[in-house]
Amino acid sequence: MSAGFKARAAEALVDPLLKIAVERTAGTAEAKRAASVAAFDAFGAARTRAAAIKDHVIAHLGHYLEQFETNAIAAGAQVHWAETADEACRIVIDICRKAGAKSVARSKSMLGEEIGLPHALAEAGIERIETDLAEHIIQLAGERPSHIVWPAMHKTREQVSALFRERHAEPHAEETIAAMAESARRHLRAGMLAADVGISGANFLLADSGSVCTVTNEGNAELSIVPPRVHIVTAGIEKLVPSMDHAVHLLRLLARSATGAALTQYTTFYTGPKRAEDLDGPEEMHIVLVDNGRTKMRAEGLAEMLRCIRCGACMNHCVVFRQIGGHAYGGTYPGPIGAVLTPALDGIAASRDLPQACTMNGKCQEVCPVNIPLPTLLRGWREKSWREGLEPASTRSAVRLWAWVARRPWLYRLSARVAVRGMRLFGGSWIAALPLAGGWTQHRDLPAPQGKTFMEQMRERQR
Amino acid sequence: MSERRQVALFVTCLVDTMRPRVGFAAIDALEAAGCDVAVPRAQTCCGQPALNSGDRRDAEALARATIEALEGYPFVVVPSGSCAGTIRVHYPEILAHDPIWSPRAAALAARTWEILAFLDQVCGWRPEGVTLPVSATYHDSCAGLRELGIKAQPRRLLGAIEGLRLTPLGGEETCCGFGGTFCVKYPAISNAITDEKAAAIEASGAELLLAGDLGCLMNMAGKLHRRGSAVRAMHTVEVLAGMGDGPAIGEEA
Ligand code: SF4
């Protein structure tokens, strides 16, 4: 991926529409989040509690998973365990086959993307209807999500309108958002009602009741889960919370951090399949609990990352993401969380650029509602990459040589003097091109050093 | 008169080589604030480039060398939020595993200050009789802001300068795209970020850009110059020391 990241980033940087699209959504999210956090009394305290809740669960994961399993089964659900992505997909497809499913309605789930479920369903010959509006857009376009909250963030409204005109049967005259939503609704409703199986993710799994919680703004999770005969939930094992009280606490932070809203339009708790006295609901409920590297992350110094509630605030506020968008990151998760998670999922050798392509400005941690030390975790990947010799030889020798010199003050001072005099040879007060400094002078001028080094001048003054 | 504070000045590698003026301004301001300033000769660089490159071994070795060079002083003052942050926040972290060096790192961290925070919070100092009739804008460099909480201090200090009008900067807390080696490893991405920063600085209408980190300042000044902008750039401590009428970054002395 090394060459890949730079190439994708370069492509993204020259795409003017991408910039407009990302800026519209992320800019709005940034402003709304700021306002809602300012209006949220004791946001800091709420954040500390949120981090503590997640830490507690991650530390006692086995206990809560068992409790969840017992209660989910008691409510009539079937619980499945998957250690890997492939295993998870196989379980889902088996359930679909047993249900005789020709088509499934899917409600947005980043875990589903992570385990490659859309691809696996296609391989198994099962038709898939993406019911989230943004997922529908990227399904029509044959693309992948570029953001964890707004999967189609990379597209402008105008591009979506053109796509709908081309791909939706019904012609729609206007480009208004209402007309576009109506067009998508007509297109999707039939698919949702006809699906044999509904597949959703989970925002929270409640240990004390065995319930699954989803939040959406479109109600598409509800519509894709309730009509079909079978409901399948795929969820990462870190989604556990002890109780409703904890889930509600995290929900308040999730919505505000993601969109600035106090809550999402739809927050639904599902506890088991349809009971005898229920008027509707699926006959079967299956919950697939997926590890896919999470236990390993916990053991290998990335436990804090498992606090993540997938709000997307870190990417909305990331200067790098804002310039290159989500696809450049190459993995399922973009932005700062992707830079931490992708190396954990794909290996650092395949993704060493991601933790490097960060200015370490710390904004992501500042906005993270569960205070994940993203810069520290990124530095951890950089250290691993260095230890494993993945950094380019030129960087390694430059850093090592410089460190060797810096441990010898006399040599360091001499080198500083030589470097300063050398740079002065390039003349003037500004240097427009300097050998070996092309990375700098390609895009900006370099102010020439003033003359003698500070240490040299100090010594002269004291004489 | 109370006793003078004994301060060791840690001159960052960029100040040493690129803009020694910032070092002298720091000495002047510290002396005016009632400090005796020493510049320990054994100091070199704090090791941040190694730390951020993932070269943990060299970063630790440089941390130990820096601790040795600076630990004899009641206060260590640094004209850079990012280098001060390295000593205060990261030395204790990276040496936490070492029973001998960990307490030494913690002790040095507790005595190390970024200069603007030190002048304001420890010395309670305000520049006296300094006049600079200019409209200036302030960029909050990331490490100082987020690792050390430097936000109000420079504004309080600058507020005491006669004639200086502080103009708000849109996105003042947004990274300028420097990021140490980031700007040379990913020049195209860095350029896009810095370009936006420069546009915001120009839109502020200020004549002078101030910040507390020379790296960020050189990045922004270099971009402004490439864009043909007339905005000048200077380290905040130069202005505080009454050197604000001298050459800005990139101007011949
Ligand atoms: S790391 Fe934090 S800010 Fe980023 S998505 Fe996860 S919870 Fe949100």
Side-chain angles (χ1 to χ4, degrees), chain A residues 19 353 366 413 441 444, chain B residues 41 146 186 190 196 219:
Chain A
K19 177 73 190 166
D353 262 310
E366 184 186 293
R413 272 195 236 306
T441 52
R444 35 181 120 53
Chain B
R41 289 205 57 88
R146 304 204 176 89
Y186 300 90
S190 169
E196 271 185 29
N219 176 48

Side-chain angles (χ1 to χ4, degrees), chain A residues 307-319:
Chain A
R307 284 184 203 152
C308 179
I309 55 175
R310 308 285 193 261
C311 72
C314 54
M315 52 201 77
N316 296 339
H317 290 78
C318 171
V319 282

Side-chain angles (χ1 to χ4, degrees), chain A residues 28-307:
Chain A
T28 308
E30 182 181 17
K32 288 195 174 164
R33 176 204 171 267
S36 93
V37 165
F40 187 169
D41 277 345
F43 180 78
R47 185 179 184 235
T48 305
R49 181 173 175 227
I53 292 170
K54 292 295 291 191
D55 279 352
H56 171 81
V57 172
I58 304 304
H60 303 94
L61 202 50
H63 166 76
Y64 287 111
L65 283 169
E66 271 175 45
Q67 197 189 347
F68 175 80
E69 182 182 36
T70 308
N71 291 325
I73 291 172
Q78 299 177 48
V79 177
H80 312 259
W81 300 86
E83 210 178 303
T84 64
D86 286 350
E87 207 178 325
C89 288
R90 227 179 304 124
I91 293 170
V92 172
I93 284 163
D94 276 355
I95 300 168
C96 290
R97 289 220 169 104
K98 276 197 201 116
K102 282 188 275 306
S103 72
V104 300
R106 207 171 78 102
S107 154
K108 183 169 92 69
S109 140
M110 289 313 295
L111 181 92
E113 298 292 331
E114 176 190 319
I115 60 177
L117 191 54
H119 180 74
L121 287 167
E123 291 237 300
I126 299 169
E127 194 200 348
R128 165 176 63 98
I129 295 124
E130 292 293 344
T131 65
D132 175 271
L133 179 57
E135 288 279 347
H136 170 60
I137 293 166
I138 59 169
Q139 186 177 28
L140 286 185
E143 293 175 8
R144 299 177 60 195
S146 71
H147 189 284
I148 64 173
V149 176
W150 298 280
M153 179 196 241
H154 56 288
K155 289 203 175 304
T156 62
R157 185 194 315 144
E158 295 76 8
Q159 286 174 311
V160 173
S161 169
L163 184 68
F164 280 7
R165 217 170 310 127
E166 186 188 313
R167 304 289 305 275
H168 283 173
E170 315 85 352
H172 61 286
E174 304 164 82
E175 278 200 4
T176 63
I177 295 191
M180 285 156 64
E182 186 51 42
S183 167
R185 187 175 289 131
R186 275 201 304 270
H187 191 92
L188 289 175
R189 282 274 157 96
M192 290 193 214
L193 294 174
D196 308 296
V197 171
I199 304 181
S200 75
N203 289 88
F204 302 101
L205 303 171
L206 279 53
D208 68 345
S209 61
S211 312
V212 174
C213 171
T214 65
V215 297
T216 71
N217 276 320
E218 297 162 27
N220 64 296
E222 292 72 11
L223 267 180
S224 23
I225 288 164
V226 177
R229 281 176 290 116
V230 177
H231 175 198
I232 305 175
V233 180
T234 57
I237 52 175
E238 84 285 8
K239 294 283 173 184
L240 256 293
V241 290
S243 73
M244 176 73 89
D245 171 53
H246 301 97
V248 170
H249 183 79
L250 292 167
L251 269 169
R252 298 178 69 201
L253 287 159
L254 170 61
R256 281 181 171 85
S257 303
T259 62
L263 263 188
T264 47
Q265 309 293 336
Y266 297 88
T267 301
T268 308
F269 296 85
Y270 308 88
T271 313
K274 180 178 189 228
R275 281 158 297 227
E277 67 275 21
D278 290 343
L279 293 177
D280 53 21
E283 287 151 26
E284 287 174 31
M285 181 186 193
H286 297 264
I287 303 167
V288 187
L289 297 170
V290 184
D291 186 320
N292 200 30
R294 284 158 176 75
T295 309
K296 191 161 170 258
M297 281 171 60
R298 187 174 77 157
E300 291 179 358
L302 290 174
E304 287 152 317
M305 196 63 228
L306 298 175
R307 284 184 203 152

Side-chain angles (χ1 to χ4, degrees), chain A residues 6 19 323 353 359 361 366 379 382-383 400 406 412-413 429-430 441-445 454-455, chain B residues 13 16 20-21 41 43-44 52 56 58 142 146 175 185-186 190 196 219 222-223 225-226 250:
Chain A
K6 280 197 171 173
K19 177 73 190 166
Q323 295 298 340
D353 262 310
T359 69
N361 66 70
E366 184 186 293
R379 192 174 285 113
R382 291 183 182 189
E383 285 172 14
R400 298 232 59 189
Y412 179 81
R413 272 195 236 306
S429 41
W430 289 97
T441 52
Q442 193 183 347
H443 299 293
R444 35 181 120 53
D445 297 324
F454 176 84
M455 287 299 195
Chain B
C13 49
D16 185 33
R21 231 174 159 264
R41 289 205 57 88
Q43 62 171 294
T44 62
N52 278 344
R56 180 67 178 256
D58 279 324
C142 304
R146 304 204 176 89
C175 176
K185 283 185 180 159
Y186 300 90
S190 169
E196 271 185 29
N219 176 48
K223 187 64 184 179
H225 190 258
R226 181 67 61 94

Side-chain angles (χ1 to χ4, degrees), chain B residues 25-139:
Chain B
I27 293 178
D28 286 358
L30 286 167
E31 286 180 351
C35 306
D36 285 336
V37 184
V39 182
R41 289 205 57 88
Q43 62 171 294
T44 62
C45 168
C46 67
Q48 198 184 146
L51 180 65
N52 278 344
S53 299
D55 179 3
R56 180 67 178 256
R57 222 160 28 123
D58 279 324
E60 282 184 28
L62 283 169
R64 292 192 183 96
T66 303
I67 292 169
E68 260 173 356
L70 299 175
E71 69 187 343
Y73 300 85
F75 294 101
V76 172
V77 175
V78 191
S80 151
S82 116
C83 309
T86 299
I87 300 176
R88 267 181 83 133
V89 179
H90 300 294
Y91 281 12
E93 264 168 25
I94 61 176
L95 293 170
H97 64 94
D98 185 326
I100 294 180
W101 284 90
S102 147
R104 292 173 75 175
L108 180 69
R111 295 199 302 271
T112 299
W113 288 82
E114 187 274 345
I115 189 158
L116 304 174
F118 183 76
L119 290 170
D120 177 67
Q121 289 169 256
V122 180
C123 304
W125 177 75
R126 294 289 176 268
E128 263 168 51
V130 180
T131 308
L132 191 67
V134 69
S135 64
T137 196
Y138 192 85
H139 163 76

